[in-house]
Amino acid sequence: MDRTGTLHGDKPFASAQAGATALAEGLRFDLTALVHAWLGGQRPNHGVLLRALAGDGTVRMASREGLEPGGSAAVVLELGWRDGTRSTLPAMLDVTLDCSTVKGLGTDKTLRVSDRVNTIVQFDLPQRAAKDLARAELRLLPDKLYGHSLTIGAFATEPPWLQGASTSVDGIAARYPRDIAKVGLFDAA
């Protein structure tokens, strides 16, 4: 969901350019509006989708499973509160979505974002009022950039079960009840 509320839209809540300096300085996304909506109950917190907007690169960073003991998290949400306090939240869930495989990637040691793969990260937010939030910033610390550059957008996620029931459209075989497909060793009716 983009910042205008369009499902699969192209207007991110924030974006960042990954280039040579991203490895040293990290990538920062201002997600104040999105986190404010989560805290205020206007939008459920189902995480942030990181998707390539432009460029030919691939950004790689450590996932929760790839974090070295005593190491710093590569994906954190930094919250600044109006009372001057700060909260730094590591991702509680992270996964790379790669449509080229049916294998689950939730236990991989790395996260990737490119024109072919997206990443979702989710954070366990504190129980505080939205009006208390001054700033929310997603920080990524990539360890590798393949290619020259990549612009990454941060979007809200909208799980399919929130979109309501879908209606099925029967295909041509629906008119032929005795049409049975053979699938491997099993018969499908």
Side-chain angles (χ1 to χ4, degrees), residues 88-165:
T88 301
L89 309 174
M92 72 171 186
L93 300 170
D94 58 18
V95 66
T96 294
L97 305 174
D98 186 342
C99 295
S100 69
T101 182
V102 295
K103 177 185 148 207
L105 300 174
T107 59
D108 276 4
K109 294 184 185 248
T110 61
L111 300 170
R112 293 170 289 130
V113 180
S114 74
D115 63 344
R116 294 191 175 124
V117 296
N118 302 317
T119 286
I120 292 179
V121 292
Q122 187 178 18
F123 301 91
D124 188 16
L125 297 177
Q127 297 295 317
R128 292 191 64 169
K131 66 179 178 59
D132 295 338
L133 181 69
R135 182 160 174 83
E137 188 173 72
L138 175 64
R139 186 172 47 105
L140 307 179
L141 296 173
D143 62 2
K144 186 76 173 168
L145 171 64
Y146 300 97
H148 295 94
S149 67
L150 186 70
T151 302
I152 300 172
F155 296 83
T157 59
E158 186 76 16
W161 60 86
L162 293 179
Q163 299 168 19

Side-chain angles (χ1 to χ4, degrees), residues 62 67-76 139 141:
L67 186 61
E68 296 295 327
S72 298
V75 181
V76 295
R139 186 172 47 105
L141 296 173

